[in-house]
Amino acid sequence: MTSIKDIAQIAGVAVGTVSRVINNSGPVKLETRRKVEEVIRRMNYVPNEVARNFKMQKSKMVALLLPSIWHPFFSELAYYIEDELDQSGFKLMLCNSGGKPEKELYYLDMLRQNKVAGIVGITYNDIEKNVGPEIPMVSIDRRFDRKITCVTSDNFEGGRIALQELVKAGVQRPVFIGAVAAMSSETMNRKAGFVHEAQRLGVDGSVFERPDPIMDEEAYFDEFFRIHPEADGVFAINDMFAAKYIDRAVKLGLKVPEDVKVIGYDGIQSHTYFHPVLSTIRQPVEAMARTAVQLLFRKMNGEGLPRETYRLPVIFRRGETT
Amino acid sequence: MTSIKDIAQIAGVAVGTVSRVINNSGPVKLETRRKVEEVIRRMNYVPNEVARNFKMQKSKMVALLLPSIWHPFFSELAYYIEDELDQSGFKLMLCNSGGKPEKELYYLDMLRQNKVAGIVGITYNDIEKNVGPEIPMVSIDRRFDRKITCVTSDNFEGGRIALQELVKAGVQRPVFIGAVAAMSSETMNRKAGFVHEAQRLGVDGSVFERPDPIMDEEAYFDEFFRIHPEADGVFAINDMFAAKYIDRAVKLGLKVPEDVKVIGYDGIQSHTYFHPVLSTIRQPVEAMARTAVQLLFRKMNGEGLPRETYRLPVIFRRGETT
């Protein structure tokens, strides 16, 4: 049977080089890699990876649980998480778990079976009773009652900034609009920061919320415009919500930003080709992704982390709606 | 040592049920799953998955190679690919390979080592010399010189429809705008269909192309407007390109669709909250994703496929730009 030494000899490289090619565990020139690949192919050499895993009992795979990759915020996040994992030789397993709690539980199984080394997750289901603090899992946005490390943007500060920016733009009766999820989540702090800052500045702010998910958006906004005809500024819980609000407002004859100023949250627009370009609280998506992966690596190494929740700073990005 | 029989007995379920929970290989009620999970946890029972893999020598993992998940077309595609794989108990490994040919080669290695069972890929690098027709790989859009099965939208028909729709909207001097990639790709048929149809109808159509990647977009469009001041209709190679063109045209004082009608390709806009809502040739993304996975499964089973290229029908979706 062909051995790794045979491959090295035929390719005219060191055994270590062949090993690096096979394991992708260090720098190999593209040309050298191709040469080694070519010999491996010609000789039908198959390093028994599965057997090797058996010996090492280690997975180089991290699972990413997202409600849906088909959303600009999540796909940007996934992009940077994959990039950060790749730099340490880890692979990303992707799971759209939206509305399917059994998929999230399945990945916890995989973790217990060493099929994945860790999980980064934005989960909206109640899986916390299945997860202990020792589990190498990092949550994004959703805080799990202190058991799972959470990386999030500074939602409270984002809410404060949004209120400040609306006031700076001349708004006198700002309203926060959103939906209340059944599960506690860091994103609720957006409203809290908004309310706190309105009180601090003595501004006449309001909150309009209905239970999540909002099944009938038309009814939601009809009710909003009935209850808050006075609103001259809106802070929406996220950009998509802001866009939906603007769509309705414009249909009712309101002008944005002349009649009503609008600020969203996320920063999903990565260019300015489609309008309106939203004024928004921009989440530091790349930093959140890389931080989540680095914290996960530390948990995988058995390190205790000094904190439970890591809040990264946000910025206000002015668009066309304030 | 705890056995699967012990788990079944303690949980009060059949061994088959425990097995289904562990392998996620069939329907188990959520409540039952949780009960079995709970017993597994309490007994510290770890089914040796890696050892099982060793015995079975089979991976239930499919790799998806994309230039970048952070693009609405690719993230929509990834969403449906994951969903289709999940229905057969397969997991998705995600790789952003954009600009990194060595990452694509690495996944081919994994395939040879049985770490992944197959690859679905949108690759733009020259990996075809590393791939034989027996390799369970399905390409999307990019055709690899007949070695790799390719699933694509009917680009030629899309180009024809775009020309027809521009003419229907009153356009007399339509121009196709795009970039020429070094590698042959199915997407080149968009131009071919456009040109074919213009000739067939006796319309005075033009083509404006520069080598891909276009480093200086400003210079690209400056040149376009200098050479084609007469253009009253544009068919862009994709939606992002259409959006960029419109942005420049509007800055020059042109009105869309009054002065110039524009049609894109892809259908990346999944809602109508941001404007302009592009008139576009909509790719059947969901059908392409599911077809690619089903064809991959057949290749993984060693089936010969009757065709090399599977072209799925497109439709014209009218937006605000024609």
Side-chain angles (χ1 to χ4, degrees):
Chain A
M1 220 177 85
T2 312
S3 74
I4 191 167
K5 279 185 194 167
D6 301 331
I7 300 297
Q9 200 170 6
I10 295 163
V13 300
V15 168
T17 305
V18 179
S19 167
R20 282 203 301 283
V21 168
I22 293 170
N23 295 299
N24 208 28
S25 61
V28 181
K29 268 195 256 174
L30 189 56
E31 198 187 330
T32 308
R33 167 176 281 278
R34 289 202 173 163
K35 190 166 61 184
V36 173
E37 290 256 341
E38 174 55 33
V39 175
I40 286 174
R41 203 160 35 248
R42 212 168 68 225
M43 306 296 293
N44 282 320
Y45 173 68
V46 176
N48 197 327
E49 179 65 26
V50 181
R52 207 140 39 86
N53 264 347
F54 184 61
K55 201 168 139 199
M56 296 174 22
Q57 286 284 1
K58 256 203 223 171
S59 167
K60 293 281 269 181
M61 190 97 64
V62 165
L64 175 63
L65 307 187
L66 295 174
S68 164
I69 188 72
W70 187 18
H71 182 289
F73 176 69
F74 297 145
S75 66
E76 184 183 357
L77 195 65
Y79 175 83
Y80 288 116
I81 287 175
E82 194 270 352
D83 188 68
E84 187 71 16
L85 288 172
D86 180 62
Q87 288 178 27
S88 296
F90 278 79
K91 303 293 150 208
L92 178 71
M93 207 186 297
L94 175 70
C95 169
N96 294 306
S97 57
K100 293 184 184 167
E102 69 278 12
K103 280 181 86 170
E104 296 183 349
L105 293 174
Y106 180 71
Y107 280 86
L108 286 175
D109 268 351
M110 293 187 83
L111 194 59
R112 268 190 288 275
Q113 298 171 10
N114 291 319
K115 272 176 100 171
V116 299
I119 295 177
V120 178
I122 302 188
T123 76
Y124 292 104
N125 300 305
D126 179 18
I127 66 168
E128 68 189 75
K129 27 178 168 331
N130 299 281
V131 177
E134 77 293 352
I135 297 283
M137 179 162 178
V138 174
S139 169
I140 293 180
D141 268 358
R142 165 115 161 70
R143 192 172 39 157
F144 289 80
D145 213 12
R146 295 162 185 260
K147 278 192 193 162
I148 301 176
T149 305
C150 176
V151 175
T152 177
S153 63
D154 193 338
N155 293 283
F156 189 85
E157 187 62 17
R160 290 186 58 196
I161 295 172
L163 187 284
Q164 289 165 11
E165 291 292 338
L166 287 174
V167 169
K168 263 197 242 171
V171 168
Q172 294 184 309
R173 287 166 309 272
V175 183
F176 169 87
I177 60 172
V180 196
M183 305 297 299
S184 130
S185 157
E186 270 287 323
T187 60
M188 290 165 56
N189 289 329
R190 296 173 192 174
K191 174 182 66 177
F194 174 90
V195 169
H196 170 93
E197 195 64 9
Q199 284 170 352
R200 200 180 71 81
L201 297 179
V203 171
D204 183 18
S206 309
V207 166
F208 182 82
E209 286 183 310
R210 291 295 172 269
D212 190 45
I214 289 158
M215 304 309 255
D216 184 345
E217 291 181 350
E218 201 168 315
Y220 176 95
F221 284 113
D222 283 351
E223 195 183 350
F224 171 82
F225 286 111
R226 199 167 59 241
I227 298 181
H228 292 290
E230 84 292 357
D232 59 351
V234 161
F235 171 43
I237 190 154
N238 59 48
D239 285 346
M240 272 309 294
F241 220 84
K244 286 175 188 179
Y245 164 77
I246 291 168
D247 187 61
R248 303 289 305 193
V250 167
K251 278 178 185 152
L252 289 175
L254 291 169
K255 288 205 180 88
V256 178
E258 293 81 354
D259 301 325
V260 59
K261 327 257 184 248
V262 182
I263 295 180
Y265 199 106
D266 278 348
I268 54 174
Q269 288 167 297
S270 53
H271 53 74
T272 57
Y273 301 121
F274 296 106
H275 304 274
V277 177
L278 298 169
S279 294
T280 190
I281 304 298
R282 167 72 174 153
Q283 298 210 51
V285 181
E286 179 174 356
M288 286 164 70
R290 298 197 191 278
T291 302
V293 170
Q294 288 306 325
L295 291 172
L296 183 71
F297 285 160
R298 288 169 65 182
K299 291 188 99 170
M300 278 157 47
N301 287 333
E303 264 184 68
L305 297 178
R307 283 190 282 160
E308 285 145 359
T309 303
Y310 292 76
R311 293 186 181 89
L312 304 186
V314 293
I315 55 162
F316 174 64
R317 190 168 72 190
R318 172 161 292 114
E320 303 166 336
T321 61
T322 51
Chain B
M1 221 178 84
T2 311
S3 75
I4 192 168
K5 280 185 195 168
D6 300 330
I7 300 297
Q9 199 170 7
I10 295 163
V13 300
V15 169
T17 306
V18 179
S19 167
R20 281 203 301 282
V21 169
I22 293 169
N23 295 301
N24 209 29
S25 61
V28 180
K29 268 195 254 174
L30 188 56
E31 198 187 331
T32 308
R33 168 175 280 278
R34 289 202 172 161
K35 190 168 61 183
V36 173
E37 289 257 340
E38 173 56 33
V39 174
I40 287 174
R41 203 159 36 246
R42 213 166 68 225
M43 307 296 293
N44 282 319
Y45 173 69
V46 176
N48 198 329
E49 178 65 26
V50 180
R52 208 140 38 86
N53 265 347
F54 184 61
K55 201 167 139 200
M56 295 172 22
Q57 287 284 3
K58 257 202 217 173
S59 167
K60 293 281 269 182
M61 191 96 65
V62 166
L64 174 63
L65 306 187
L66 294 174
S68 164
I69 188 72
W70 187 17
H71 182 290
F73 177 69
F74 297 145
S75 66
E76 183 182 357
L77 196 64
Y79 175 83
Y80 288 115
I81 288 175
E82 194 269 353
D83 188 68
E84 188 71 14
L85 288 172
D86 180 61
Q87 289 177 26
S88 296
F90 278 79
K91 302 294 148 205
L92 178 71
M93 207 186 297
L94 175 70
C95 169
N96 294 305
S97 56
K100 293 183 184 168
E102 69 278 13
K103 280 180 85 171
E104 296 182 350
L105 293 173
Y106 179 71
Y107 281 85
L108 286 175
D109 268 349
M110 293 185 81
L111 195 59
R112 266 190 289 275
Q113 298 171 10
N114 291 319
K115 273 176 98 170
V116 298
I119 294 177
V120 178
I122 301 187
T123 76
Y124 291 105
N125 300 304
D126 178 18
I127 65 169
E128 71 189 74
K129 26 179 167 334
N130 299 282
V131 177
E134 77 293 353
I135 297 283
M137 178 161 178
V138 174
S139 169
I140 293 181
D141 269 356
R142 165 117 163 67
R143 193 173 38 160
F144 289 81
D145 213 12
R146 295 163 185 259
K147 279 192 193 162
I148 301 176
T149 305
C150 176
V151 174
T152 178
S153 63
D154 192 338
N155 292 283
F156 188 85
E157 186 63 19
R160 291 186 57 196
I161 295 172
L163 187 283
Q164 288 165 10
E165 291 291 339
L166 287 174
V167 169
K168 262 196 242 170
V171 168
Q172 294 185 311
R173 289 168 307 274
V175 184
F176 169 87
I177 60 172
V180 196
M183 304 297 299
S184 129
S185 158
E186 270 287 323
T187 61
M188 290 164 57
N189 289 331
R190 296 173 193 175
K191 174 182 65 177
F194 173 91
V195 169
H196 171 93
E197 194 65 8
Q199 283 169 353
R200 199 181 71 82
L201 297 179
V203 172
D204 182 18
S206 309
V207 167
F208 182 81
E209 287 183 310
R210 292 295 171 269
D212 190 45
I214 290 158
M215 304 310 254
D216 185 343
E217 291 181 350
E218 201 168 313
Y220 176 95
F221 284 112
D222 283 352
E223 197 184 349
F224 171 81
F225 286 111
R226 198 167 60 242
I227 298 181
H228 291 290
E230 83 292 356
D232 59 351
V234 162
F235 171 42
I237 190 155
N238 59 47
D239 285 346
M240 272 309 294
F241 220 83
K244 286 175 188 179
Y245 164 77
I246 291 169
D247 187 61
R248 304 289 304 194
V250 167
K251 278 178 184 150
L252 289 175
L254 290 169
K255 288 204 181 89
V256 178
E258 292 81 354
D259 301 324
V260 59
K261 329 256 184 247
V262 182
I263 295 180
Y265 199 105
D266 277 349
I268 53 173
Q269 288 167 298
S270 54
H271 53 75
T272 57
Y273 300 122
F274 296 107
H275 305 272
V277 177
L278 298 168
S279 294
T280 191
I281 305 298
R282 166 73 175 154
Q283 299 210 52
V285 182
E286 179 174 355
M288 287 165 69
R290 298 196 192 280
T291 302
V293 170
Q294 289 304 325
L295 291 172
L296 183 71
F297 285 160
R298 289 169 65 182
K299 291 188 100 171
M300 279 157 46
N301 288 333
E303 264 186 68
L305 297 178
R307 281 190 282 159
E308 284 144 1
T309 303
Y310 292 77
R311 293 186 182 89
L312 305 186
V314 294
I315 55 162
F316 173 64
R317 190 168 73 189
R318 173 161 290 115
E320 303 165 337
T321 61
T322 50

